DNA sequence: GTCAAGTCGATTTTT
DNA sequence: TCGACTTGAC
């Protein structure tokens, strides 16, 4: 090394030292691994993102790779963005050539670059789930498929599943009438997508996979380019994504990339949408991972919380094995509250949040979690009445709003007139006198000629000759619509992106329409926000192509949530809480049937996934964790009787502080219980006797073989008297009272 | 084309 | 129970 390199070396060493400060030995080992494929088992709160980002910074800083050679894959846009921000903070260099993105984002990027090889048009559009569903419905109508026998959602599920298994319609196995019909729909869907130049989410992955597997030159190119591939949340990959990775990384080739996979099998909670935890084991074997690095030191939670979570997850079979620990103390015990009903549970949560807030904990540092969205209503109700500001996560996203979808449909039509879906969405919105009759006629004509709706509509209106683009007159009927779109297309050729949107909003009369609507103010605001979104898109990406903006809108439906950053209590499902942390966490509705959810009990490995979900929920808490349940709860308009979740009994007693045992003998509680039953069961069998014991619905009982349970139903009398009992361990059963030998618990 | 009544279904969800 | 969605009447 020459003298001139010395200052650089010194600078490099200083940079490295600061990069590595305060890392634990395992983190450091992971970050500085030699360039070979690795698996990092990163427990909750173990500094996973830090390891991932520091690894990238290290590779670049140490000269092992330049940004151009690195590919980092995440699951959400949020994670990708955060990674980029953190790397930028570590490295004061231009990261333009560093590819960071979601699987879908990266596949999309490749497809745009190689659209010809991928068999796509340059202006191909991306269908989000709602677009996809609409298209499927349309196709079912054309094929005259009974929507009762073939619910569009199931068809959608079928198609996406096939694609995620790498199967085109032609290769789907169909050995009965039902699956043959499914295949038929899938086939027609494939054709229609190609005709409209539309690509759904699963298609992005499958096309890209096929592109790489078919095109040796391209694959060679990317194998040579990416010497390092880093993957976040590896436990959430589906099988197609894993196959794509094997292809891209060039597994088995001499120039194979070093894959750095980070994941946690205990936090795999998305198998219901195709995630394949077994990918981790396959990966270990197929990529020849010599040593798995485990990050087990937790920087988030206090001891009791970790111990409880560890003990819980130990009940799962087939784990890769991992135990979180902390250098912090035991901290507070978990607080458990057993309520009689959902109202009492809510009252408890509300009171406790109030006092936490009074004691100085910011509301935004408190999370109220639940297993299913239906649970939020009663909680929201209680919070609202108590005047506690809260924010519910999930739900409608910016680009999913109907006014935004309408505006985007006009834009899509301008970018790609063959987009039948977009045309159908706006041809009569706002209404311009095109009824079902003329629409049907248009669709029939299009079907006959095999042309797109747009093409057909244009011919009907007399071709392009008629078109004096006069926007000053009202544009009615199909001919009017055609003139409108043509005029828009022409105007948009010269305008920059934000002005294009302004233009279409104005001339489509969307603004006028929502201006007249009763509660159109918010929609107008959102439409205005769409212009802002376009402005910042152009600003951030230096790209003002309409097609790119539309792709952005489909791929990043989120992040545009209003009202974020406010000081408010955080309400969300456990799934939505993954990756987040809070000072205090309330976990509500811990009942058999709800959490673990009854539907999951019958699924293969369903219970294990529920337990992982519970594990994820618990490890969100830094200092304080509340668990609560209610013995009876209103669900789907009926009162349901439940026992406490088995997960509570899997937590060691020494970690727990019971704030209130359910059904203790206090007179007050018995009173409140009675009143509830008499209220909700007027007209029903209220109770009956046998062996001078009276058994009531809601009674906690013990059975010699099945253990603890709750009576949830009863019928018959005398020696025929039977009770239905929901047992904690074995689910609900009907038992003859005479033989059941029940005791009150 | 709009509104009201009727039906149906109800874990979890990102891209 | 409640909401989304479809159907039928003007």
């Amino acid at each position: 090394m020459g003298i001139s390199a010395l200052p650089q070396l010194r600078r490099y060493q200083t940079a490295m030292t600061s990069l590595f400060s305060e890392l634990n030995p395992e983190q450091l080992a992971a970050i500085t691994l030699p360039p070979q494929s690795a698996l990092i088992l990163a427990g909750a709160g173990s500094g996973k993102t830090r390891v991932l980002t520091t690894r990238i910074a290290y590779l670049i800083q140490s000269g092992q790779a330049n940004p151009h050679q690195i590919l980092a894959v995440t699951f959400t846009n949020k994670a990708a963005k955060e990674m980029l921000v953190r790397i930028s903070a570590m490295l004061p260099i231009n990261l333009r050539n560093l590819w960071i993105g979601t699987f879908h984002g990266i596949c999309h990027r490749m497809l745009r670059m190689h659209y010809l090889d991928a068999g796509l048009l340059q202006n191909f559009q991306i269908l989000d789930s709602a677009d996809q569903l609409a298209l499927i419905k349309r196709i079912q109508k054309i094929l005259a498929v009974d929507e009762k026998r073939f619910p569009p959602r199931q068809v959608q599920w079928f198609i996406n599943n096939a694609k995620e298994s790498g199967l085109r319609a032609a290769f789907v196995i169909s050995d009965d009438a039902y699956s043959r019909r499914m295949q038929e729909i899938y086939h027609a869907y494939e054709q229609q997508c190609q005709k409209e130049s539309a690509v759904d989410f699963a298609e992005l992955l499958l096309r890209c996979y096929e592109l790489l597997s078919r095109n040796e030159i391209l694959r060679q190119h990317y194998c040579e380019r990416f010497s390092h591939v880093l993957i976040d949340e590896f436990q959430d990959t589906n099988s197609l994504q894993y196959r794509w990775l094997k292809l891209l990384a060039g597994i088995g080739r001499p120039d194979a990339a070093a894959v750095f996979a980070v994941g946690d099998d205990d936090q795999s909670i998305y198998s219901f949408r195709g995630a394949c935890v077994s990918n981790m084991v396959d990966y270990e074997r197929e990529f020849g991972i010599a040593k798995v690095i485990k990050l087990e030191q937790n920087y988030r939670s206090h001891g009791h919380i970790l111990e409880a979570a560890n003990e819980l997850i130990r009940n799962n079979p087939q784990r890769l094995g991992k135990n979180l620990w902390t250098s912090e103390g035991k901290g507070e015990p978990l607080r458990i509250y057993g309520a009689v009903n959902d109202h009492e549970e809510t009252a408890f949560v509300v009171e406790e949040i109030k006092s936490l807030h009074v004691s100085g904990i910011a509301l935004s540092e408190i999370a109220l979690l639940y297993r299913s969205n239906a649970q939020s209503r009663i909680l929201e109700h209680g919070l609202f009445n108590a005047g506690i500001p809260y924010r519910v996560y999930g739900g409608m996203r910016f680009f999913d709003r109907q006014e935004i979808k309408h505006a985007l449909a006009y834009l899509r039509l301008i970018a790609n007139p063959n987009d039948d879906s977009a045309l159908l969405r706006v041809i009569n919105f706002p209404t311009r006198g095109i009824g079902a009759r003329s629409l049907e006629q248009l669709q029939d004509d299009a079907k006959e000629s095999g042309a797109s709706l747009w093409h057909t509509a244009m011919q009907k209106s007399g071709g392009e000759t008629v078109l004096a683009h006069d926007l000053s007159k009202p544009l009615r009927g199909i001919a009017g619509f055609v003139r409108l779109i043509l005029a828009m297309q022409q105007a948009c050729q010269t305008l920059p992106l934000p002005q294009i949107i302004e233009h279409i909003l104005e001339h489509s009369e969307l603004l006028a329409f929502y201006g007249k609507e009763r509660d159109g103010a918010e929609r107008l605001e959102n439409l205005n926000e769409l212009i802002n979104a376009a402005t910042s898109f152009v600003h951030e990406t230096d790209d003002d192509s309409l097609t790119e903006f539309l792709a952005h809108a489909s791929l990043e439906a989120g992040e545009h949530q209003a009202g974020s950053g406010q000081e408010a209590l955080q309400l969300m499902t456990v799934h939505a809480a993954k990756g987040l942390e809070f000072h205090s966490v309330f976990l509500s509705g811990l009942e058999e049937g709800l959490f673990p959810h009854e539907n999951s009990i019958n699924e293969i490995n369903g219970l294990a996934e529920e337990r992982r979900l519970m594990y994820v929920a618990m490890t969100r808490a830094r200092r304080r964790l509340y668990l609560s349940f209610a013995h009876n709860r209103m669900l789907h308009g009926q009162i349901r009787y439940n026992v406490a979740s088995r997960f509570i009994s899997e937590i060691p007693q020494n970690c727990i502080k019971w704030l209130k045992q359910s059904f203790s003998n206090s007179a007050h509680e018995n009173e409140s219980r009675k009143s509830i039953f008499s209220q909700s069961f007027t007209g029903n069998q209220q109770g009956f006797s046998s062996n001078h014991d009276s058994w009531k619905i809601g009674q906690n009982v013990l059975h010699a073989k099945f253990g603890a349970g709750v009576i949830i139903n009863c019928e018959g009398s005398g020696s025929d008297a039977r009770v239905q009992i929901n047992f904690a361990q074995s689910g609900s059963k009907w038992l003859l009272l005479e033989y059941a030998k029940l005791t009150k618990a």
Side-chain angles (χ1 to χ4, degrees):
Chain A
M1 187 180 291
I3 293 270
S4 60
L6 267 178
Q8 267 162 350
L9 180 68
R10 194 158 304 133
R11 221 179 312 141
Y12 159 73
Q13 282 171 334
T14 340
M16 283 294 155
T17 323
S18 72
L19 220 56
F20 291 162
S21 61
E22 292 170 42
L23 287 171
N24 68 38
E26 292 77 27
Q27 289 176 329
L28 191 64
I31 288 162
T32 58
L33 275 172
Q36 67 200 21
S37 289
L39 177 59
I40 316 299
L41 258 190
S46 65
K48 178 195 68 166
T49 309
R50 187 167 186 214
V51 165
L52 219 35
T53 51
T54 315
R55 167 77 173 172
I56 292 173
Y58 162 79
L59 289 173
I60 296 171
Q61 191 83 266
S62 65
Q64 293 185 56
N66 63 52
H68 172 82
Q69 295 171 292
I70 297 174
L71 171 67
V73 193
T74 61
F75 265 83
T76 62
N77 292 300
K78 195 174 153 207
K81 209 171 279 172
E82 190 187 336
M83 256 171 89
L84 192 60
V85 167
R86 284 167 74 160
I87 298 168
S88 303
M90 285 188 255
L91 292 178
I93 60 164
N94 186 353
L95 296 171
R96 271 271 147 111
N97 291 324
L98 176 68
W99 278 28
I100 295 187
T102 61
F103 276 101
H104 294 85
I106 283 160
C107 289
H108 170 246
R109 193 167 176 171
M110 288 186 177
L111 291 178
R112 286 262 175 241
M113 291 171 75
H114 314 291
Y115 65 92
L116 277 180
D117 291 313
L120 292 165
L121 296 181
Q122 188 166 20
N123 63 357
F124 73 85
Q125 308 286 310
I126 299 172
L127 302 181
D128 65 26
S129 317
D131 299 333
Q132 185 188 34
L133 189 65
L135 180 51
I136 289 169
K137 281 183 184 163
R138 203 143 54 77
I139 284 165
Q140 292 197 195
K141 207 158 270 166
I142 293 171
L143 294 183
V145 177
D146 182 8
E147 296 208 348
K148 292 264 150 52
R149 267 181 18 103
F150 296 87
R153 291 208 169 273
Q154 259 178 51
V155 175
Q156 184 178 31
W157 186 86
F158 174 87
I159 291 176
N160 289 335
N161 254 276
K163 290 192 180 190
E164 276 167 23
S165 319
L167 288 176
R168 291 288 172 195
F171 298 103
V172 171
I173 298 162
S174 51
D175 36 21
D176 56 288
Y178 182 83
S179 46
R180 263 196 296 281
R181 195 72 167 141
M182 277 291 200
Q183 182 179 30
E184 207 180 314
I185 303 169
Y186 181 13
H187 187 70
Y189 172 79
E190 251 179 2
Q191 286 187 318
Q192 190 60 30
C193 282
Q194 191 67 23
K195 218 163 103 187
E196 293 186 26
S197 193
V199 169
D200 62 45
F201 287 137
E203 184 74 20
L204 286 171
L205 295 171
L206 183 54
R207 279 267 170 166
C208 189
Y209 172 79
E210 288 173 344
L211 174 69
L212 289 176
S213 67
R214 203 178 336 110
N215 195 322
E216 177 59 30
I217 296 169
L218 263 184
R219 187 171 66 212
Q220 182 94 27
H221 166 76
Y222 282 110
C223 282
E224 277 169 21
R225 170 174 176 170
F226 294 124
S227 53
H228 290 271
V229 179
L230 298 92
I231 302 194
D232 193 13
E233 308 278 15
F234 193 71
Q235 76 283 350
D236 287 338
T237 48
N238 65 32
S239 55
L240 184 57
Q241 285 161 343
Y242 180 59
R243 284 164 67 185
W244 179 85
L245 171 72
K246 286 201 281 188
L247 211 53
L248 187 71
I251 184 175
R253 298 163 59 114
D255 59 350
V259 179
F260 190 84
V262 182
D264 180 0
D265 55 326
D266 290 334
Q267 290 188 72
S268 159
I269 55 173
Y270 284 110
S271 71
F272 71 90
R273 62 171 199 221
C276 226
V277 217
S278 58
N279 282 346
M280 294 184 87
V281 184
D282 293 347
Y283 171 78
E284 228 183 307
R285 190 185 64 246
E286 295 183 295
F287 282 73
I289 307 302
K291 185 169 169 274
V292 177
I293 294 183
K294 293 182 184 178
L295 305 180
E296 297 176 294
Q297 181 172 2
N298 176 293
Y299 295 95
R300 181 185 296 158
S301 311
H302 273 171
H304 280 311
I305 296 171
L306 282 187
E307 189 186 340
N310 278 335
E311 287 304 310
L312 173 102
I313 201 70
R314 267 160 64 113
N315 292 293
N316 267 5
Q318 295 169 340
R319 294 176 58 222
L320 294 177
K322 187 167 43 54
N323 229 17
L324 295 179
W325 62 276
T326 176
S327 59
E328 305 265 346
K330 288 267 178 200
E332 301 175 12
L334 279 62
R335 288 149 211 253
I336 305 188
Y337 189 91
V340 168
N341 58 28
D342 42 3
H343 292 282
E344 194 204 329
E345 184 192 30
T346 302
F348 160 72
V349 169
V350 166
E351 282 311 307
E352 205 64 32
I353 287 170
K354 268 194 206 158
S355 64
L356 274 175
H357 189 41
V358 167
S359 75
I361 311 294
L363 283 177
S364 58
E365 269 295 331
I366 307 173
L368 175 44
L369 308 183
Y370 34 82
R371 171 70 237 267
S372 60
N373 286 307
Q375 289 165 252
S376 80
R377 195 179 322 130
I378 185 167
L379 295 167
E380 285 186 66
H381 189 81
L383 291 165
F384 182 83
N385 286 338
I388 299 172
Y390 64 88
R391 185 177 167 221
V392 187
Y393 283 74
M396 189 60 85
R397 299 222 221 76
F398 183 72
F399 287 109
D400 287 341
R401 295 173 184 282
Q402 70 147 22
E403 63 274 21
I404 301 298
K405 283 262 179 198
H406 281 130
L408 290 176
Y410 278 104
L411 293 171
R412 276 165 57 174
L413 214 43
I414 287 162
N416 170 17
N418 290 333
D419 191 332
D420 287 358
S421 308
L423 182 138
L424 285 171
R425 183 168 194 112
V426 292
I427 190 166
N428 198 33
F429 190 94
T431 49
R432 47 177 73 84
I434 302 173
R437 191 67 50 83
S438 36
L439 246 182
E440 221 166 275
Q441 187 61 49
L442 179 66
Q443 284 178 289
D444 285 348
D445 293 351
K447 197 180 166 192
E448 201 154 309
S449 65
S452 68
L453 292 174
W454 168 252
H455 192 83
T456 314
M458 215 155 65
Q459 284 191 321
K460 278 193 160 196
S461 338
E464 301 192 44
T465 44
V466 192
L467 311 153
H469 308 318
D470 184 4
L471 288 177
S472 56
K473 298 210 171 74
L475 297 158
R476 311 279 303 167
I478 290 183
F481 179 72
V482 169
R483 287 213 316 272
L484 173 69
I485 298 298
L486 281 173
M488 283 180 175
Q489 278 175 340
Q490 202 174 49
C492 293
Q493 272 165 7
T494 51
L495 290 174
L497 184 57
Q499 272 73 27
I500 290 181
I501 297 177
E502 233 168 307
H503 184 269
I504 68 107
L505 288 181
E506 178 62 37
H507 292 284
S508 65
E509 294 177 9
L510 280 174
L511 291 181
F513 178 85
Y514 287 119
K516 274 185 284 185
E517 276 244 304
R518 257 176 292 119
D519 31 48
E522 198 189 334
R523 299 200 192 271
L524 284 179
E525 239 169 74
N526 288 330
L527 288 174
N528 212 36
E529 186 58 34
L530 183 65
I531 303 174
N532 295 339
T535 310
S536 51
F537 174 79
V538 174
H539 195 72
E540 277 168 29
T541 58
D542 251 341
D543 189 342
D544 78 339
S545 115
L546 177 54
T547 305
E548 278 300 322
F549 178 68
L550 289 171
H552 166 84
S554 302
L555 289 171
E556 290 199 40
E559 312 308 323
H560 252 284
Q561 287 217 350
S564 58
Q566 278 176 11
E567 169 58 12
L569 177 72
Q570 314 283 300
L571 262 70
M572 63 193 93
T573 63
V574 179
H575 281 93
K578 191 177 162 201
L580 305 177
E581 62 173 69
F582 307 90
H583 175 280
S584 297
V585 170
F586 288 81
L587 195 40
S588 66
L590 279 172
E591 294 129 43
E592 280 298 302
L594 243 195
F595 198 178
H597 198 278
E598 54 194 349
N599 296 359
S600 72
I601 309 274
N602 300 319
E603 289 165 13
I604 22 168
N605 303 327
L607 187 61
E609 176 138 327
E610 293 287 308
R611 194 176 278 113
R612 290 194 291 269
L613 200 49
M614 178 76 183
Y615 177 78
V616 168
M618 292 170 78
T619 51
R620 299 308 97 198
R622 282 204 295 269
R623 297 291 172 262
R624 197 179 270 208
L625 178 57
Y626 291 89
L627 310 178
S628 63
F629 60 91
H631 267 105
N632 46 71
R633 166 184 306 278
M634 186 71 96
L635 198 67
H636 306 327
Q638 280 185 319
I639 293 182
R640 310 245 312 206
Y641 303 90
N642 294 307
V643 284
S645 168
R646 71 190 75 190
F647 296 150
I648 288 179
S649 59
E650 291 174 4
I651 297 170
Q653 286 301 314
N654 68 302
C655 299
I656 292 175
K657 178 179 173 193
W658 279 92
L659 298 182
K660 180 184 164 228
Q661 286 269 8
S662 53
F663 288 165
S664 67
N665 291 323
S666 99
H668 169 71
E669 272 164 42
N670 281 334
E671 274 318 299
S672 77
R673 202 163 102 232
K674 253 181 236 156
S675 69
I676 286 151
F677 286 127
S678 44
Q679 269 164 26
S680 15
F681 282 93
T682 33
N684 273 357
Q685 295 142 301
Q686 287 213 359
F688 51 99
S689 309
S690 153
N691 301 345
H692 42 234
D693 264 336
S694 106
W695 301 100
K696 277 203 171 77
I697 288 175
Q699 172 69 53
N700 275 34
V701 293
L702 276 175
H703 183 274
K705 185 163 160 220
F706 301 125
V710 187
I711 299 180
I712 58 175
N713 210 345
C714 54
E715 61 179 35
S717 59
S719 61
D720 274 343
R722 300 195 306 145
V723 283
Q724 190 182 19
I725 301 172
N726 192 5
F727 289 107
Q729 300 303 322
S730 24
S732 88
K733 292 188 188 311
W734 279 100
L735 299 173
L736 268 178
L737 209 46
E738 198 174 344
Y739 303 113
K741 298 257 158 45
L742 296 174
T743 49
K744 287 186 178 176

